[in-house]
């Protein structure tokens, strides 16, 4: 009792608005040193090979860096204005914009439909998940060579021409045909085969997070499959859909491997390909012509476009909002 009264008196005697002092926590220097030691290789590697490289490339974009990687002869914005006036660069940008406008909704729709179909399977779901995901582990270079040398090689014995012959089609030079441009069939099928499985898995994870009782309530109300899909599935997949759209959009603008390996002969500076995305153009400029200033400027132009379009797409699609709102 006396101890309680004494403690109450001390609390009353303490100045108003002053919180009781807390014991200071001693820093665990051993844990700090261990954390710094473990993260140092990652931090140093990231800083050297990413941020230092980005800064060095920015300096090169303002330099006349032809045949050298050392900034020196400053030319200001001349490299940027040269690219914006260059017909080849502008045509490559329009080409990748058209490719993106087509491939993004097609990849999104096919991935979503496959996810809905696999999610509705009761037996063998793991098999289909694995089967569709396996192509995502294949190298773009290896897949491009398979498409070029086996499926669409333009020979009568090629798989595509063999199947076309069964349907009464003539032998087609798929990669060199410009009228009609059949090479787009090669590019689109290759990209769909490589990417659809990964995005299907992401959609499948979103579908499995939807509470089953919502579908049960919709079934009791007599809602059909299309109404259930439109009223329940799509709204609750808002965040997943926005993230997948953003990923597809970024990878579409960064297309390089399939175009280079399908159309190029393996030598830098080959401009005979019927289509060249911006990264192939910049690759040819930097390594073929050894004009590293123009290549660096083009890389930053493409980066600004990707960031702007991604932010716009994320704002329209509602990236970051809660599902169903």
């Amino acid at each position: 009792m006396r101890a309680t009264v004494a403690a109450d008196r001390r609390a009353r005697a303490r100045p108003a608005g002053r919180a009781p002092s807390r014991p200071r926590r001693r820093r665990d220097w051993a844990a700090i040193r261990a954390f710094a030691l473990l993260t140092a290789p990652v931090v140093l590697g990231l800083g050297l090979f990413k941020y230092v490289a980005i800064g060095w490339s920015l300096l090169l974009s303002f330099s006349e860096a032809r045949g050298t990687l050392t900034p020196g002869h400053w030319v200001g914005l001349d490299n940027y204005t040269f690219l914006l006036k260059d017909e080849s660069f502008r045509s490559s940008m329009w080409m990748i914009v058209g490719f993106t406008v087509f491939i993004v909704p097609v990849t999104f729709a096919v991935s979503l439909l496959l996810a809905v179909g696999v999610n509705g399977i009761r037996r063998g779901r793991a098999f289909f998940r694995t089967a569709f995901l396996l192509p995502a582990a294949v190298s773009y270079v290896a897949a491009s060579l398979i498409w070029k040398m086996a499926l669409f090689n333009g020979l009568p014995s090629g798989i595509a021409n063999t199947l076309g012959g069964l349907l009464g089609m003539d032998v087609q030079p798929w990669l060199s045909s410009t009228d009609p441009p059949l090479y787009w069939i090669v590019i689109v099928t290759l990209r769909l085969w490589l990417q659809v499985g990964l995005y299907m898995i992401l959609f499948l994870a979103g579908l499995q997070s939807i509470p089953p009782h919502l579908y049960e309530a919709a079934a009791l109300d007599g809602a059909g499959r299309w109404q259930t899909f439109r009223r329940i599935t799509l709204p609750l997949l808002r965040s997943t859909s926005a993230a997948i759209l953003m990923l597809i959009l970024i990878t579409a603008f960064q297309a390089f491997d399939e175009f280079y390996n399908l159309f190029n002969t393996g030598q830098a500076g080959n401009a005979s390909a019927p289509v060249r995305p911006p990264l192939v153009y910049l690759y040819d400029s930097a390594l073929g012509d050894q004009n590293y200033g123009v290549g660096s400027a083009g890389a930053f132009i493409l980066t600004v476009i990707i960031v702007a379009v991604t932010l716009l797409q994320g704002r329209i699609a509602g990236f970051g909002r809660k599902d169903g709102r």
Side-chain angles (χ1 to χ4, degrees):
M1 183 67 180
R2 292 179 179 177
T4 305
V5 173
D8 183 63
R9 288 178 179 176
R10 287 195 297 270
R12 292 179 180 180
R14 188 181 299 117
R18 185 176 179 181
S21 60
R22 297 181 180 179
R24 293 184 178 181
R25 296 180 59 184
R26 299 180 60 183
R27 295 182 178 179
D28 191 351
W29 292 106
I32 294 175
R33 287 195 297 269
F35 175 80
L37 182 62
L38 292 174
T39 58
V42 177
V43 173
L44 291 176
L46 189 66
L48 180 62
F49 296 106
K50 184 175 182 180
Y51 297 108
V52 173
I54 291 175
W56 196 266
S57 179
L58 182 62
L59 293 177
L60 288 176
S61 68
F62 298 113
S63 306
E64 181 64 32
R66 187 181 294 272
T68 179
L69 291 174
T70 304
H73 184 204
W74 306 107
V75 294
L77 298 176
D78 288 352
N79 291 326
Y80 293 91
T81 55
F82 168 78
L83 285 172
L84 296 178
K85 293 179 180 179
D86 186 21
E87 183 64 28
S88 298
F89 181 74
R90 287 187 297 177
S91 63
S92 68
M93 290 301 303
W94 282 116
M95 188 281 299
I96 203 64
V97 169
F99 174 71
T100 302
V101 170
F102 177 79
I103 200 65
V104 169
V106 171
T107 306
F108 181 88
V110 174
S111 303
L112 179 58
L113 291 177
L114 286 177
V116 172
V118 172
N119 190 53
I121 298 175
R122 295 185 179 181
R123 294 183 180 180
R125 184 184 298 175
F127 168 77
F128 286 102
R129 283 203 307 261
T130 306
F132 284 114
L133 185 60
L134 277 178
V138 179
S139 167
Y140 273 69
V141 176
S144 301
L145 294 178
I146 293 173
W147 251 247
K148 179 179 181 179
M149 302 175 66
L151 297 180
F152 298 94
N153 55 16
L155 300 176
S157 59
I159 296 178
N161 282 326
T162 300
L163 295 177
L166 297 177
L167 300 176
M169 294 177 56
D170 297 330
V171 176
Q172 300 292 337
W174 296 94
L175 292 175
S176 59
S177 174
T178 56
D179 188 22
L182 297 176
Y183 50 81
W184 284 114
I185 298 177
V186 184
I187 297 172
V188 170
T189 54
L190 173 60
R191 179 157 280 250
L192 289 177
W193 186 77
L194 286 169
Q195 293 190 347
V196 160
L198 174 62
Y199 301 129
M200 185 209 71
I201 294 297
L202 299 179
F203 271 125
L204 196 59
L207 288 171
Q208 293 177 352
S209 66
I210 299 176
H213 65 84
L214 297 178
Y215 293 108
E216 296 172 359
L220 291 176
D221 291 339
R225 290 186 177 181
W226 170 245
Q227 290 179 328
T228 303
F229 178 78
R230 187 165 58 92
R231 298 291 185 179
I232 297 177
T233 304
L234 280 182
L236 294 180
L237 285 178
R238 178 188 294 272
S239 295
T240 304
S241 300
I244 290 175
L245 277 174
M246 189 174 297
L247 291 175
I248 301 174
L249 185 71
I250 293 173
T251 55
F253 271 101
Q254 292 178 338
F256 173 79
D257 291 320
E258 61 269 46
F259 286 89
Y260 183 79
N261 289 281
L262 285 174
F263 298 113
N264 252 342
T265 60
Q267 300 293 328
N270 180 16
S272 61
V275 287
R276 284 200 306 169
L279 283 183
V280 174
Y281 173 90
L282 298 176
Y283 178 86
D284 291 340
S285 298
L287 297 183
D289 301 335
Q290 293 189 353
N291 195 340
Y292 301 107
V294 171
S296 299
F300 279 98
I301 291 175
L302 186 61
T303 301
V304 170
I305 293 175
I306 292 175
V307 171
V309 175
T310 302
L311 292 177
L312 178 62
Q313 178 266 327
R315 185 173 183 83
I316 294 175
F319 185 72
R321 299 178 189 172
K322 294 184 178 180
D323 289 336
R325 295 186 181 181

